[in-house]
């Protein structure tokens, strides 16, 4: 008992420490788990024979992950994405598997080994890539959207791969090992195929109609733990059935998840399984790291390094060419090539299946495991290379390809940025008959608006020479709608310094950005989500029983008090001091919050509250526009 507790504490403690450090460095949780395992095993030598036993339990996290992936992929959603998924994603997987398998066969390995290695290395790291896309705001870029489609297809493609690897063993000179309990091991192929199809259909139909009825029955009992126990029993039962007939448990779990994707209990099942999935999957990656053969890496470093670099080069080339064929911008194709060239976490899962099925010998499996891990460890460096080298050079190339438009007209209103924020303002002003000069740095947006009939100029508003050429000296108003915080603040600073009499309305991402814009010299600052949030609050008051007139009065009063609070806090804000370390600013906020609450509750009681917003407020606009 003590030994089990000691090993459990060691694995969990190292996992917590490594993941926290990895997340802090922006490397993602999967790399954190791998580094924890490397520290426990190859570095400190704390792992023993228990690693394999823990891995057998932890592999169930993969089954849960596939069940949850299936829950997110309703059949109609898969149908809607069919063109991009099957086109870009399908070609990436097929070409990568074919290229890697061809190279493996060319160096003298069997075709079964080639296909297995191709499947393992063709998949990329969903966890690392999507997290990095989100952190670097790349998800909405053409390259980011294409990358997401490929990753989604890879997640789906991993399911047939899990089923394929044991079948490769059947045609290989090795057979499944004694650790499996396959009731159909001695049956002819047609029996195996018939039973497999019947089992998958039974799972799909069974869970579709029986599970909701079971959940309704459990809800009447009103024992929350029964939901958790039933969901776990469902996934374990499906995994057991698939194992008994020699198929991948993960395949059965995925089929069940897709069948339940439209169920009203989908979120209930997700919430109950997510903690178990996260814990077991984390332990799985820790055991992978702990079991890495660093002695082999030391002995065959150049061989492993060469295979890793070859994998990155082959996949990167295929991704870049596909990006160009699917008419992505060159920048998007480069992002695709650098971000998805690595092998991924599913590679470890497939590698485990390949080992258990004896498709790959241990020595080769150890080498491929090192290749997968090293390629994942190199991914953050590839993203840094993209940020520091590729992206800046790409912007220069795009600027050279399309020169900035020459702006000869001078209008009373100049609007920078025509995205979801700026287009509403421009539409309102032009509808009222005002002439505007609109500048945007997205070529697609400019071309589309010009085709639509709305004159828009292409240009980089952060460049001083452009700002000096657009008629700011004669304009009556500048509206900055750019989403990038740093860029919008720099523009405000430049314009306020060179054209101090020009009123500036600036879009702010949040309060902190608003403070920076205030210090930069903006006259009026609009936080982009405040109006929508206050309108939502007004609707909430009405639904809570307050009549619409009173709710309108309260929301308008709150909006005025919020502007007043922004004024006072901006005076206390210091750019070099973190917000929660600025005690005078926090004290001002607390005092105004308390005062506002007392006033609003007095209004609710029907009392007359006398308070007037400062007419010189730096965030105030003319009545009706705030």
């Amino acid at each position: 008992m003590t030994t089990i507790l000691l090993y459990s504490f060691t694995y969990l403690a190292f996992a917590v420490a490594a993941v926290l450090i990895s997340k802090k460095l922006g490397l993602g949780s999967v790399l954190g788990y791998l580094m924890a395992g490397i520290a426990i095993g190859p570095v400190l030598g704390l792992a023993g024979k228990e690693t394999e036993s823990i891995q057998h339990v932890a592999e169930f996290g993969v089954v849960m992950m596939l069940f949850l992936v299936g829950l997110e992929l309703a059949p109609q959603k898969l149908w809607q994405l069919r063109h991009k998924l099957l086109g870009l994603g399908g070609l990436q997987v097929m070409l990568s598997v074919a290229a890697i398998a061809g190279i493996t066969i060319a160096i003298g390995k069997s075709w079964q080994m080639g296909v297995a290695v191709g499947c393992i290395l063709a998949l990329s790291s969903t966890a690392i890539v999507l997290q990095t896309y989100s952190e670097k705001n790349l998800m909405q870029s053409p390259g980011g959207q294409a990358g997401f489609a490929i990753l989604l297809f890879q997640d789906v493609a991993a399911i047939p791969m899990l089923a394929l690897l044991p079948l490769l063993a059947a045609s290989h000179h090795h057979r499944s090992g004694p650790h499996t309990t396959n009731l159909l091991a001695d049956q002819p192929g047609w029996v195996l195929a018939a039973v497999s199809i019947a089992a998958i259909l039974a799972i799909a139909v069974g869970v579709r109609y029986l599970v909701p009825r079971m959940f309704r029955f459990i809800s009447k009992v009103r024992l929350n733990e029964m939901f958790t126990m039933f969901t776990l029993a469902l996934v374990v039962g499906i995994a057991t059935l698939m194992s008994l007939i020699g198929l991948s448990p993960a395949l059965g779990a995925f089929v069940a998840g897709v069948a339940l994707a439209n169920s009203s209990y989908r979120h209930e099942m997700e919430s109950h399984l997510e903690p178990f999935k996260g814990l077991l999957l984390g332990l799985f990656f820790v055991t992978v790291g702990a079991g890495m053969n660093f002695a082999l890496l030391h002995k065959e470093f150049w061989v492993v390094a060469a295979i890793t670099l070859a994998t990155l080069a082959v996949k990167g080339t295929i991704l870049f060419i596909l990006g160009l064929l699917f008419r992505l911008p060159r920048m998007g194709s480069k992002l695709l090539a650098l971000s998805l060239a690595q092998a991924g976490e599913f590679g470890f899962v497939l590698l485990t299946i390949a080992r258990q099925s004896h498709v790959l010998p241990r020595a080769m499996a150890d080498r491929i495991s090192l290749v997968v891990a090293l390629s994942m460890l190199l991914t953050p460096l590839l993203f840094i290379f993209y940020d520091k080298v590729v992206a800046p050079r790409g912007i220069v190339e795009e600027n050279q390809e399309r020169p900035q438009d020459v702006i000869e007209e001078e209008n009373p209103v100049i609007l920078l940025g025509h995205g979801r924020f700026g287009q509403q303002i421009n539409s309102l002003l032009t509808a009222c008959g005002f002439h505007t000069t609109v500048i945007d740095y997205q070529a697609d947006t400019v071309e589309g608006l010009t085709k639509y009939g709305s004159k828009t100029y292409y240009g980089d508003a952060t460049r001083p020479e452009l700002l000096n050429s657009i008629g700011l000296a004669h304009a009556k108003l500048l509206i900055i709608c750019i989403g990038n915080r740093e860029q919008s603040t720099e523009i405000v600073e430049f314009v306020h310094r060179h054209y101090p009499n020009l009123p500036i309305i600036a879009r702010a991402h949040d309060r902190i950005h608003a403070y920076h814009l205030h210090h930069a010299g903006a006259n009026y600052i609009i936080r982009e989500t405040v109006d929508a949030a206050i309108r939502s609050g007004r609707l909430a008051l009405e639904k809570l029983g307050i009549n619409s007139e009173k709710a309108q009065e309260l929301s308008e009063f709150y909006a005025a008090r919020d502007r007043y609070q922004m004024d006072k806090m901006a005076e206390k804000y210091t750019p070099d001091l973190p917000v929660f370390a600025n005690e005078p600013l926090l004290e001002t906020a607390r005092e105004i919050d308390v005062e506002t609450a007392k006033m609003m509750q007095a209004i609710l009681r029907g009392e007359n509250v006398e308070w007037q917003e400062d007419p010189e407020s730096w965030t105030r606009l003319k009545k009706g526009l705030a």
Side-chain angles (χ1 to χ4, degrees):
M1 181 67 178
T2 305
T3 305
I4 295 173
L5 291 174
L6 180 61
Y7 280 130
S8 300
F9 172 76
T10 302
Y11 277 75
L12 292 173
F14 271 85
V16 169
V19 169
L20 289 177
I21 293 170
S22 180
K23 293 283 281 185
K24 188 73 175 176
L25 297 174
L27 303 178
S29 58
V30 175
L31 287 179
Y33 287 123
L34 286 174
M35 289 189 290
I38 290 169
I40 293 170
V43 176
L44 299 177
L46 299 177
K49 293 182 178 179
E50 83 292 337
T51 300
E52 191 171 344
S53 302
I54 294 174
Q55 191 170 35
H56 286 315
V57 176
E59 282 169 15
F60 198 69
V62 179
V63 177
M64 290 186 178
M65 178 172 69
L66 268 296
F67 180 73
L68 293 174
V69 168
L71 285 178
E72 294 295 331
L73 295 177
Q76 62 267 29
K77 183 177 180 181
L78 288 173
W79 181 251
Q80 290 169 0
L81 294 171
R82 64 190 184 279
H83 296 301
K84 191 171 283 187
L85 284 172
L86 296 176
L88 195 55
L91 282 173
Q92 184 274 324
V93 171
M94 287 191 294
L95 291 174
S96 297
V97 171
I100 295 169
I103 294 171
T104 306
I105 295 169
I107 62 173
K109 304 298 180 182
S110 67
W111 70 265
Q112 292 93 339
M113 287 186 186
V115 173
V117 173
C119 290
I120 292 164
L121 297 181
L123 305 182
S124 306
S125 175
T126 302
I128 296 174
V129 175
L130 289 188
Q131 181 180 329
T132 310
Y133 278 176
S134 179
E135 289 171 355
K136 296 182 180 297
N137 296 317
L138 294 169
M139 190 64 81
Q140 298 307 316
S141 67
Q145 291 179 341
F148 175 75
I150 291 173
L151 290 169
L152 184 57
F153 183 87
Q154 288 180 357
D155 287 344
V156 176
I159 310 304
M161 287 181 182
L162 288 168
L164 172 65
L165 292 180
L167 297 179
L168 290 176
S171 60
H172 201 248
H173 61 275
H174 290 294
R175 294 285 176 179
S176 296
H179 65 280
T180 58
T181 306
N182 184 353
L183 298 180
L184 304 176
D186 299 323
Q187 299 298 321
W190 69 268
V191 173
L192 177 61
V195 173
S196 300
I197 293 170
I200 291 172
L201 289 175
I203 290 170
V205 175
V207 300
R208 177 72 178 83
Y209 294 101
L210 297 179
V211 171
R213 288 178 171 79
M214 193 65 188
F215 267 109
R216 283 195 290 272
F217 178 74
I218 292 173
S219 64
K220 295 176 183 177
V221 180
R222 296 185 178 179
L223 287 174
N224 284 333
E225 63 269 25
M226 287 297 106
F227 283 107
T228 304
M229 291 182 70
F230 174 72
T231 307
L232 284 172
L234 173 70
V235 179
V236 171
I238 291 169
T240 304
L241 172 63
M242 297 299 279
S243 294
L244 287 174
I245 61 175
L247 292 179
S248 164
L251 174 61
F254 179 79
V255 171
V258 172
L260 291 168
N262 291 321
S263 169
S264 57
Y265 294 98
R266 176 169 67 89
H267 297 295
E268 190 94 25
M269 289 183 281
E270 286 178 340
S271 64
H272 288 302
L273 281 185
E274 190 65 40
F276 294 97
K277 186 267 291 184
L279 176 63
L280 292 173
L281 207 55
L283 278 178
F284 174 76
F285 291 130
V286 171
T287 58
V288 168
M292 286 179 65
N293 192 339
F294 265 49
L296 179 65
L297 179 62
H298 183 264
K299 181 181 177 182
E300 300 185 8
F301 175 79
W302 294 112
V303 174
V304 173
I307 298 173
T308 304
L309 293 176
T311 300
L312 295 174
V314 169
K315 289 183 67 178
T317 302
I318 290 171
L319 286 159
F320 182 73
I321 293 171
L322 285 176
L324 295 179
L325 288 176
F326 278 78
R327 298 183 178 177
L328 288 179
R330 290 186 70 84
M331 282 281 289
S333 299
K334 290 174 182 177
L335 173 62
L336 211 58
L338 290 171
S339 62
L340 297 179
Q342 82 291 124
E345 52 269 13
F346 263 122
F348 292 124
V349 179
L350 294 172
L351 199 56
T352 303
I353 301 296
R355 276 285 320 282
Q356 291 173 351
S357 304
H358 297 285
V359 179
L360 296 179
R362 182 178 183 85
M364 189 173 182
D366 285 347
R367 287 192 196 96
I368 301 302
S369 177
L370 288 170
V371 168
V372 174
L374 286 176
S375 69
M376 290 173 72
L377 289 168
L378 286 172
T379 302
L381 298 179
L382 294 177
F383 271 108
I384 292 171
F385 178 75
Y386 175 82
D387 282 341
K388 302 298 183 185
V389 179
V390 177
R393 189 173 296 173
I395 292 172
V396 172
E397 289 174 359
E398 287 180 3
N399 288 341
Q400 290 171 347
E401 288 174 10
R402 169 159 186 171
Q404 299 190 100
D405 293 336
V406 177
I407 304 170
E408 296 178 347
E409 62 178 324
E410 291 187 354
N411 290 312
V413 180
I414 298 172
L415 192 145
L416 307 180
H418 200 278
R420 59 185 174 85
F421 192 88
Q423 66 98 5
Q424 295 285 358
I425 300 171
N426 188 49
S427 179
L428 186 151
L429 293 177
T430 53
C432 293
F434 290 99
H435 296 287
T436 61
T437 298
V438 181
I439 301 167
D440 198 278
Y441 200 43
Q442 294 292 332
D444 293 342
T445 301
V446 173
E447 290 170 6
L449 288 168
T450 302
K451 185 178 180 181
Y452 176 72
S454 177
K455 180 59 179 174
T456 307
Y457 293 98
Y458 175 78
D460 181 2
T462 62
R463 298 175 64 174
E465 61 269 24
L466 182 133
L467 291 172
N468 285 324
S469 69
I470 59 178
L472 291 174
H474 304 290
K476 294 181 179 179
L477 181 64
L478 172 66
I479 308 174
I480 301 172
C481 304
I482 294 171
N484 186 288
R485 303 186 195 199
E486 292 75 17
Q487 289 179 353
S488 61
T489 307
E490 289 172 5
I491 293 169
V492 170
E493 287 176 345
F494 177 87
V495 174
H496 182 66
R497 184 165 62 250
H498 294 279
Y499 306 92
N501 297 322
L502 177 62
I504 303 172
I505 299 175
R507 164 193 180 183
H509 179 76
D510 53 22
R511 282 180 178 266
I512 307 303
H513 187 206
Y515 299 148
H516 283 284
L517 290 169
H518 167 63
H519 280 265
N523 302 88
Y524 309 110
I525 297 154
I526 307 300
R527 285 168 288 153
E528 58 188 32
T529 58
V530 168
D531 287 343
I534 291 176
R535 286 176 60 194
S536 300
R538 186 187 74 198
L539 181 61
L541 290 174
E542 292 177 12
K543 296 303 177 184
L544 291 170
I546 297 173
N547 67 62
S548 58
E549 291 81 7
K550 182 67 71 175
Q552 178 73 20
E553 180 186 357
L554 286 166
S555 63
E556 288 178 355
F557 181 83
Y558 174 82
R561 289 290 297 180
D562 183 64
R563 289 191 294 267
Y564 170 76
Q565 186 180 47
M566 287 290 297
D567 299 341
K568 299 303 180 184
M569 292 176 68
E571 295 170 4
K572 305 290 184 182
Y573 181 71
T574 305
D576 298 329
L577 188 65
V579 172
F580 292 105
N582 188 336
E583 194 54 44
L585 181 141
L586 296 178
E587 189 58 36
T588 299
R590 291 190 198 102
E591 290 174 359
I592 296 175
D593 280 343
V594 171
E595 189 178 29
T596 299
K598 288 179 180 178
M599 289 178 170
M600 293 187 71
Q601 287 166 31
I603 294 172
L604 270 172
R605 294 192 296 269
E607 300 173 13
N608 186 32
V609 175
E610 293 186 4
W611 175 81
Q612 187 173 1
E613 185 182 5
D614 178 8
E616 300 300 323
S617 169
W618 61 275
T619 54
R620 180 176 170 82
L621 291 176
K622 291 184 178 180
K623 188 176 180 182
L625 291 181

